[in-house]
Amino acid sequence: MVAEEFSSGNSLIHDLDPRIKIIVATLFSIIVAVADRTEVLLLALLFSACCVIVSNLPLIKVIKRLLLVNGFILLLWILLPFTYPGKTLFSLGPLDATVEGIRYALSITIKSNTIILACIALLGTTPIFTLAHALRHLYVPDKLVQLLFFSYRYIHVIYFEYVRLVNAMKIRCFRPRSDLHTYKAYAHLVGMMLLKSYDRSERVYDAMLCRGFKGKFWMLDHFSLKRSDLILFIIMLLSITGLGFLQWGKGLFS
Amino acid sequence: MHISEGVLSAPVLVMGAAITAAGCGIGLKKLDYDRVPQVAILTSAFFVASLVHVPIGPSSVHLVLNGLMGLLLGWPAFPAILIALFLQALLFQFGGITTLGVNTFNMAFPAIICFYLFAYAVKQRNNLISMGAAFACGFFGILLGSFMVAISLVFTGDPFMGIAKVVVIAHLPVMIIEGLITLFSAGFLKKLKPELLEVVHAKR
């Protein structure tokens, strides 16, 4: 259930230095989120598609993932065409769908999916512990990275604890319904999970103290940039700059 | 509660990121190094709790529990929610890098408000006050959160007004469920492990 589906694999992108991946994914997301010209968005989509193809991910899984996260976008499609002011394209009863509304919804859909694809290809291909390590190298505050590290480390443990509790409930013939009893049972489930995690955290911390933990994670290994990393980095940076230039460049010279 | 990537306008995104950075700064400052594992493991518990689907009528909603998070964690709820959302973005692609700031703020700000409004009352010995405060904590966590989502949408552009209204209305049943769940879990914790309700970041 909580698995890094795309993190293992063998491709140019999987081998890329995680620091570069984080920087590129961030820059690219920001540019696409702010851009509004259609040709820029389509080129950006091409860029993400290229990343996905180069990273050699199972396409069906990627598409399934995309469909899953488009729920909010679906809501936009239901409402936006009818609430956006503009020329009427067609009418459904008292509601008028406008050309501008549909265009707006379409541009948001492209933007959103472009960013998600890029993030799957760039960040999804890195194990989260490696990402945490890379974030520390990118000067993200120490405590924040430690929080990330510990939380991810224990998500699986607590998930299995949750499954055990749910199984215990099932054995006792618990059937979720929409009544107070169900909510109470779920609340106690949550309370039990919090309680167990709290106790576990005490044990973990004591064990760490026994092993001489003094509040700091030492980074023993460091990333090193290979030539292929640099080349790919420069290509990606140039494409992103190109996108930015297409979006805002004209204003610079007129 | 998540706003997808590419929906919000630049000023909203920048504002969200800036406030979240400030909130996380305060949260991390108030968080002692020796409490990091505790807050982190509670964060993973909340992450797992957000995978729990609770039935409501013919459909189901997943738990958010930002009110309870504020209640237990205090200011460190800010970085904790940031981490939880970051992990959701990485693992499930819900939300993403540019909306991380806004989404964190939308959930963490209500958590902090709940902490200041209700944490004291929940610890009261009087059962009625304590239970009422716990329910209000869960209820307001979501109410405020959905308002903030609506406001971020409306600030992006007037055409989002309709969607903003739908977001708030759709969260009405969630508020009641969250209120009930927070009520019972807070009562449970108060009985079994009252020290959990003492805010974790306080120094040992």
Side-chain angles (χ1 to χ4, degrees), chain B residues 140-156:
Chain B
F140 275 108
I142 303 295
L143 179 73
L144 212 57
S146 65
F147 273 150
M148 312 243 322
V149 172
I151 291 170
S152 342
L153 286 171
V154 173
F155 273 176
T156 292

Side-chain angles (χ1 to χ4, degrees), chain A residues 71-124:
Chain A
F72 190 82
I73 302 293
L74 192 70
L75 184 69
L76 284 184
W77 272 100
I78 295 171
L79 288 167
L80 212 46
F82 302 106
T83 49
Y84 205 90
K87 259 204 326 242
T88 307
L89 187 68
F90 64 89
S91 302
L92 275 177
L95 298 167
D96 297 327
T98 60
V99 185
E100 282 82 357
I102 289 175
R103 193 171 288 160
Y104 197 40
L106 189 65
S107 102
I108 287 176
T109 313
I110 297 176
K111 267 191 200 188
S112 185
N113 286 296
T114 303
I115 297 177
I116 294 167
L117 275 179
C119 286
I120 291 179
L122 291 167
L123 300 181

Side-chain angles (χ1 to χ4, degrees), chain B:
Chain B
M1 292 288 260
H2 292 283
I3 302 178
S4 307
E5 292 272 33
V7 177
L8 297 173
S9 67
V12 178
L13 292 175
V14 173
M15 275 290 283
I19 300 172
T20 294
C24 286
I26 299 173
L28 289 176
K29 202 157 189 199
K30 292 204 172 207
L31 175 66
D32 244 22
Y33 267 106
D34 55 355
R35 291 292 179 174
V36 168
Q38 229 159 50
V39 171
I41 296 179
L42 284 176
T43 306
S44 27
F46 279 111
F47 182 97
V48 174
S50 75
L51 302 174
V52 177
H53 281 256
V54 177
I56 169 161
S59 134
S60 72
V61 294
H62 77 88
L63 297 175
V64 183
L65 296 179
N66 56 344
L68 191 59
M69 233 171 151
L71 205 61
L72 296 191
L73 299 179
W75 272 97
F78 235 111
I81 289 176
L82 176 78
I83 295 295
L85 289 179
F86 184 62
L87 284 174
Q88 282 190 344
L90 289 178
L91 292 167
F92 314 125
Q93 273 79 39
F94 285 128
I97 300 175
T98 61
T99 47
L100 195 59
V102 181
N103 281 337
T104 304
F105 177 52
N106 286 348
M107 281 178 65
F109 180 67
I112 305 290
I113 297 287
C114 283
F115 166 66
Y116 278 118
L117 286 181
F118 305 118
Y120 181 72
V122 170
K123 279 182 283 188
Q124 292 300 306
R125 194 160 290 169
N126 185 328
N127 246 340
L128 216 63
I129 295 178
S130 168
M131 279 164 72
F135 179 83
C137 182
F139 188 87
F140 275 108
I142 303 295
L143 179 73
L144 212 57
S146 65
F147 273 150
M148 312 243 322
V149 172
I151 291 170
S152 342
L153 286 171
V154 173
F155 273 176
T156 292
D158 292 329
F160 284 107
M161 198 64 197
I163 295 167
K165 280 179 195 153
V166 171
V167 166
V168 176
I169 294 168
H171 277 92
L172 277 173
V174 186
M175 289 166 207
I176 295 166
I177 300 226
E178 287 270 333
L180 288 173
I181 299 267
T182 310
L183 192 172
F184 291 127
S185 351
F188 179 87
L189 289 175
K190 211 176 145 196
K191 252 185 262 164
L192 274 93
K193 195 97 182 167
E195 63 258 45
L196 241 175
L197 290 173
E198 304 297 325
V199 165
V200 199
H201 69 258
K203 289 190 178 160
R204 284 186 205 226

